[in-house]
Amino acid sequence: MSKYDALWAYIQGRNEETLLLSFADIAQIAGTPLEQRPDQRGICRFYLRA
């Protein structure tokens, strides 16, 4: 089991074309802290539909 299984389940369960999550959102959904480099914007964009 991956520490990101809960995150992927959350993403797959969304009915959206694009999903924006902050690093804080991802950490909360995944239930694990994330390492963030100072040069990262802190936002992840997921494209769910091709």
Side-chain angles (χ1 to χ4, degrees), residues 1 3-4 6-7 9 13-14 18-19 21 23 30-31 33 37 46 50:
M1 184 170 166
K3 65 180 179 178
Y4 298 112
L7 173 62
R14 305 300 296 181
T18 303
L19 179 63
L21 296 172
F23 274 53
R37 296 187 327 239
F46 297 92

Side-chain angles (χ1 to χ4, degrees), residues 29-44:
I29 294 165
T32 186
L34 300 178
E35 293 183 26
Q36 184 177 354
R37 296 187 327 239
D39 62 332
Q40 291 174 317
R41 291 181 45 208
I43 299 291
C44 294

